[in-house]
Amino acid sequence: MSTKKIEVRGFATKEAGFSVKSAALRIRIDDRGTAEVTNPLEGVLVDFANSVHRIGEVVAKELGIELKSVAIEVLGTLIGVREQTRTGRSGFKSIEITVKPTSDASLSLLKEWIDSVKIRCPARDTLLNMIPVGMTLIKEYSQTESIFGEQLKE
């Protein structure tokens, strides 16, 4: 099996704010934080919920479960300022997900479904397992066109 890579690109100017795009997503966040997702930590939770939802659909189809609806609640508990100072970590201390499917399936079949979703959810796997993250700086980068194809103001 070949390794699939997913790329997300972001670009910012003072005039246009920050724009992010991937193969299936385009978000523009202005300097007031106006966007579908207003801060990066909310974005992590939104992506986690979407991952659970998408994998849940796939697994339900495989198990023959008809999902009339699914409510997904994601609650992230932030690391406090004092703990950040002590540990050097920022972000979430914990994330709790509650999944509420509406279905005629039996409780045992829904348990099998959610157990499979847990195992197969890529967002959960990524957050649970430490993965290497690289960050590269390129000095004096210049771009004259936004990632959405618009000319940028000089």
Side-chain angles (χ1 to χ4, degrees), residues 32-118:
R32 294 177 307 280
T34 305
E36 291 88 9
V37 177
T38 58
N39 75 53
L41 292 174
E42 285 179 0
V44 170
L45 300 182
V46 167
D47 291 341
F48 205 163
N50 186 47
S51 183
V52 168
H53 171 253
R54 295 294 181 201
I55 296 302
E57 287 180 330
V58 169
V59 173
K61 186 174 182 179
E62 291 172 358
L63 294 175
I65 298 173
E66 179 188 350
L67 295 174
K68 297 174 185 169
S69 68
V70 178
I72 299 172
E73 299 169 2
V74 185
L75 175 64
T77 301
L78 295 171
I79 294 172
V81 175
R82 286 186 180 163
E83 190 174 343
Q84 284 180 16
T85 304
R86 192 181 82 245
T87 65
R89 287 195 59 235
S90 61
F92 293 110
K93 181 186 301 189
S94 66
I95 298 174
E96 291 292 326
I97 299 178
T98 303
V99 182
K100 302 175 183 178
T102 302
S103 175
D104 293 330
S106 68
L107 183 58
S108 63
L109 188 55
L110 289 173
K111 173 88 170 81
E112 181 181 346
W113 169 75
I114 198 66
D115 288 345
S116 185
V117 170
K118 283 181 196 176

Side-chain angles (χ1 to χ4, degrees), residues 1-8 22-24 55 122 126:
M1 179 189 291
S2 65
T3 301
K4 181 179 180 182
K5 295 190 178 195
I6 298 172
E7 183 177 26
V8 175
S22 67
I55 296 302
T126 300

Side-chain angles (χ1 to χ4, degrees), residues 13-20 27-43:
T13 64
K14 288 184 180 184
E15 296 81 22
F18 184 63
S19 299
V20 181
I27 297 176
R28 180 171 293 148
I29 304 167
D30 65 21
D31 60 353
R32 294 177 307 280
T34 305
E36 291 88 9
V37 177
T38 58
N39 75 53
L41 292 174
E42 285 179 0

